[in-house]
């Protein structure tokens, strides 16, 4: 029944304004927060155009997830709750002879669930796509902002070179078009602020307004949910080493603070193509563009997204690095209590033995005293060399000494592997058992610190 209804929808090219529902699906990192802020703040205007946009909250920086009460329920496979909320909104729209307008990035992968939810309705789908590398940079930014990631940018990029990434290259657009028909989909290349028409203007055009009317309405574009500038992102990356041990409310407050700082820091920039080593950048871009061929063939208007902008490879290369004093000062002014808690927690972790580089870098930025990690001048000290020369040594003895070297250098996992090999040969060795217990305790403590 669903397939038959969907095929009927595909065969009909809808006129502007004749849809029951219009769904904006993202993709992520394409200005969805700006669109949602505009729609919430201009609900009355949208009503004059014939669109009912259900209200949703914005945070202190004007950011929201849009209609996540529907999209989030679908992600959690709670179709009953999603259906109740959807049909409540649809009822309000129909009561006033309007088109229901919904927006949420969380809809991006929910084509099947939305097709089922919209059975028998005429639906239009709106989506924007950006270059996959820009999407990757945005994902890296989001991971540090919201998910306590501490990886550096180059680590994140290198991990993507060989992985299939359908969500980065717009494959979900194909699924949406298969469900609702190409003629009922408006997909466009995303243009960063300042490089074309404001996104809000483009969105109004997608709804069916004339370009002139859209330009007249969108006159004062506010910065909304800009990616963290480099200094704020690096500071948050360091803070994540400690914030994960504090109540989540502190992480949320820090996010709001650093988001506000980034929105105000007009002389600073987020990470961009030029911050990735050029050889790695070209390899990654080729890898992603190859995956995007199917999307470009299906939707030629998106083909420009697959092309690496050579100018972007050099943009920002004249910058002389960045400092962390700006975001640190913002946090000290807006959230002094949280900053004190962070410092207290960092000192506690250091007392318990934490010494990884990113953590010590945070302590340095916060001005906290700490002992620097000693780097040995020689891998084999004199004691180890003397033990290795013993004539009665056998396999377990050499494995034990190599394990101790790795332990001293901080390679605990590798040290455990070697000591386990030694115990496999000499399972009752008292010295080996003691070393194993010590390594296990160190690893457990290290895990608690992460």
């Amino acid at each position: 029944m669903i397939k038959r209804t969907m095929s009927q929808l595909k065969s009909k090219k809808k006129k502007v304004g004749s849809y029951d529902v219009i769904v904006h699906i993202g993709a992520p990192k394409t200005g969805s927060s700006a669109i949602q802020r505009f729609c919430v703040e201009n609900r009355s205007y949208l009503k004059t155009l014939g669109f009912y946009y259900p209200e949703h909250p914005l945070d202190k920086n004007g950011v929201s997830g849009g209609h996540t009460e529907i999209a989030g329920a679908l992600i959690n496979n709670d179709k009953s709750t999603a259906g109740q909320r959807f049909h409540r909104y649809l009822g309000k729209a129909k009561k006033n002879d309007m088109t229901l307008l919904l927006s949420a990035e969380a809809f991006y992968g929910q084509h099947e669930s939305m097709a089922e939810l919209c059975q028998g309705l005429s639906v239009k789908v709106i989506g924007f796509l950006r270059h996959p590398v820009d999407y990757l940079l945005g994902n890296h930014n989001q991971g540090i902002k919201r998910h306590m990631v501490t990886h550096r940018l180059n680590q994140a990029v290198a991990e993507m070179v060989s992985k299939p990434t359908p969500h980065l290259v717009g494959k979900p657009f194909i699924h949406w078009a298969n469900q609702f028909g190409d003629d009922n989909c408006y997909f466009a290349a995303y243009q960063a602020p300042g490089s074309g028409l404001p996104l809000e203007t483009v969105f109004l055009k997608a709804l069916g307004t004339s370009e002139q009317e859209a330009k007249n309405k969108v006159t004062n574009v506010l910065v909304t949910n800009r990616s963290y500038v480099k200094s704020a992102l690096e500071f948050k990356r360091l803070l994540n080493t400690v914030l994960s041990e504090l109540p989540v409310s502190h992480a949320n407050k820090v996010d709001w603070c650093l988001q506000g700082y980034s929105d105000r820091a007009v002389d600073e920039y987020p990470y961009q193509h030029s911050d990735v080593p050029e050889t790695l950048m070209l390899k990654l871009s080729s890898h992603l563009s190859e995956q995007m061929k199917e999307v470009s063939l299906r939707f030629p208007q998106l083909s420009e997204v697959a092309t690496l902008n050579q100018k972007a490879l050099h943009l920002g290369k004249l910058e002389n690095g960045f400092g962390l004093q700006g975001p640190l000062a913002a946090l000290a002014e807006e959230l002094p209590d949280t900053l004190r808690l962070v410092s207290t927690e960092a000192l506690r972790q250091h007392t318990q033995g934490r010494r990884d580089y990113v953590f010590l870098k945070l302590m340095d930025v916060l001005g906290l005293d700490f002992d620097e990690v000693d780097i040995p001048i020689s891998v084999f000290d004199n004691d180890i060399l003397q033990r290795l020369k013993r004539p009665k040594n056998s396999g377990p003895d050499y494995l034990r000494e190599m394990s101790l070297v790795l332990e001293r250098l901080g390679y605990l996992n590798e040290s455990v592997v070697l000591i386990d090999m030694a115990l496999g040969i000499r399972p009752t060795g008292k010295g080996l058992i003691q070393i194993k217990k010590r390594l296990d305790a160190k690893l457990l403590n290290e895990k608690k610190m992460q």
Side-chain angles (χ1 to χ4, degrees):
M1 177 63 182
I2 294 177
K3 290 184 178 179
R4 185 167 63 251
T5 303
M6 288 301 104
S7 64
Q8 291 171 352
L9 286 176
K10 292 178 191 178
S11 65
K12 298 178 182 179
K13 185 174 181 178
K14 295 293 177 182
K15 296 180 180 179
V16 172
S18 66
Y19 291 97
D20 298 310
V21 182
I22 296 181
V23 186
H24 167 234
I25 62 173
K29 311 305 171 192
T30 56
S32 297
S33 293
I35 289 173
Q36 290 153 10
R37 180 178 188 174
F38 175 82
C39 289
V40 164
E41 295 177 347
N42 291 276
R43 293 179 71 237
S44 297
Y45 170 70
L46 289 172
K47 285 182 179 179
T48 67
L49 299 179
F51 301 106
Y52 172 66
Y53 186 83
E55 195 168 8
H56 55 70
L58 303 175
D59 71 14
K60 62 181 292 185
N61 295 311
V63 179
S64 79
H67 298 112
T68 53
E69 73 274 26
I70 297 175
L74 292 177
I75 289 175
N76 294 324
N77 202 32
D78 186 357
K79 294 183 179 180
S80 175
T81 298
Q84 290 174 8
R85 292 169 179 170
F86 173 80
H87 287 291
R88 183 171 73 247
Y89 290 149
L90 183 64
K92 290 182 179 180
K94 286 192 172 185
K95 183 178 180 180
N96 294 284
D97 195 26
M98 293 181 178
T99 294
L100 174 61
L101 176 60
L102 299 173
S103 173
E105 287 181 1
F107 283 129
Y108 188 50
Q110 298 302 309
H111 48 278
E112 290 185 355
S113 296
M114 282 301 291
E116 183 177 345
L117 203 59
C118 295
Q119 183 178 357
L121 301 173
S122 55
V123 179
K124 182 176 183 177
V125 182
I126 297 176
F128 299 92
L129 191 66
R130 66 190 306 170
H131 191 282
V133 173
D134 291 323
Y135 190 172
L136 174 60
L137 294 175
N139 273 356
H140 174 66
N141 180 86
Q142 194 72 0
I144 292 175
K145 279 180 61 175
R146 299 283 173 83
H147 304 296
M148 300 298 176
V149 169
T150 60
H151 289 168
R152 294 172 61 85
L153 174 62
N154 286 1
Q155 288 177 275
V157 172
E159 290 172 0
M160 301 303 297
V161 171
S162 60
K163 292 182 178 180
T165 53
H167 56 295
L168 295 186
V169 300
K171 290 289 181 69
F173 283 177
I174 292 175
H175 302 316
W176 281 92
N178 288 342
Q179 292 286 354
F180 295 100
D182 291 35
D183 291 336
N184 296 317
C185 294
Y186 178 98
F187 298 145
Y190 169 79
Q191 293 185 316
S195 58
L197 289 175
L199 182 61
E200 296 87 342
T201 302
V202 178
F203 183 72
L204 286 177
K205 288 179 60 182
L207 294 181
T209 63
S210 68
E211 182 170 327
Q212 188 57 52
E213 181 179 352
K215 286 182 177 179
N216 292 339
K217 183 61 182 176
V218 182
T219 55
N220 183 26
V221 178
L222 299 173
V223 175
T224 305
N225 203 28
R226 181 192 189 195
S227 288
Y228 277 7
V229 294
K230 295 178 191 178
S231 62
L233 195 67
E234 175 64 8
F235 187 41
K236 181 59 165 57
R237 186 176 76 87
L238 304 183
L239 287 170
N240 285 346
T241 63
V242 170
L243 280 174
S244 59
E245 297 298 316
L246 298 178
V248 68
S249 59
H250 292 289
N252 292 337
K253 290 176 183 177
V254 169
D255 178 26
W256 294 332
C257 173
L258 296 181
Q259 183 63 62
Y261 174 83
S262 295
D263 289 346
R264 298 188 301 270
V266 294
D267 294 328
E268 296 186 53
Y269 301 92
Y271 278 109
Q272 48 207 340
H273 293 195
S274 58
D275 293 298
V276 181
E278 190 164 346
T279 54
L280 180 58
M281 178 75 234
L282 293 171
K283 186 176 181 180
L284 177 64
S285 181
S286 174
H287 170 66
L288 294 172
S289 297
E290 181 66 25
Q291 294 183 64
M292 197 178 171
K293 283 184 177 179
E294 183 182 4
V295 176
S296 300
L297 288 172
R298 180 77 172 265
F299 312 110
Q301 73 273 24
L302 297 179
S303 58
E304 66 180 87
V305 175
T307 304
L308 182 63
N309 184 347
Q310 291 299 315
K311 182 180 179 181
L313 284 175
H314 306 284
L315 194 64
K317 285 211 172 189
L318 297 179
E319 288 185 278
N320 295 317
F322 55 87
L324 304 183
Q325 293 307 307
L328 174 60
L331 194 64
E333 180 179 353
E334 295 182 33
L335 299 170
D337 292 341
T338 294
L339 187 57
R340 278 193 291 272
L341 280 175
V342 166
S343 297
T344 300
E345 175 62 21
L347 288 170
R348 184 190 72 80
Q349 292 188 23
H350 184 263
T351 300
Q352 293 189 357
R354 184 163 188 181
R355 296 293 189 275
D356 55 286
Y357 175 76
V358 66
F359 171 75
L360 292 181
K361 187 175 180 181
L362 171 66
M363 293 192 70
D364 194 27
V365 170
L366 295 179
L368 303 175
D369 189 34
F370 62 91
D371 298 327
E372 294 185 359
V373 178
D374 292 327
I375 300 176
I377 298 175
S378 174
V379 173
F380 297 101
D381 60 28
N382 188 59
D383 289 341
I384 290 177
L385 288 173
Q386 292 303 316
R387 289 196 297 270
L388 287 173
K389 293 178 181 178
R390 292 173 181 169
K392 293 184 179 181
N393 281 342
S394 60
D397 300 301
Y398 295 118
L399 289 169
R400 178 194 64 227
E401 297 306 319
M402 292 304 297
S403 175
L404 292 174
V405 169
L406 290 171
E407 179 187 7
R408 188 160 61 93
L409 293 174
Y411 297 102
L412 297 182
N413 289 311
E414 292 84 348
S415 180
V416 168
V417 170
L418 292 184
I419 210 65
D420 283 342
M421 291 171 64
L423 281 167
I425 302 171
R426 189 185 294 165
T428 59
K430 293 182 179 180
L432 299 178
I433 293 173
Q434 289 178 352
I435 295 172
K436 170 67 172 175
K437 287 181 179 179
R438 182 176 69 245
L439 289 171
D440 287 344
K442 283 187 175 182
L443 282 172
L444 180 61
N445 186 61
E446 188 178 82
K447 188 175 182 181
K448 290 179 179 179
M449 292 297 101
Q450 291 177 348

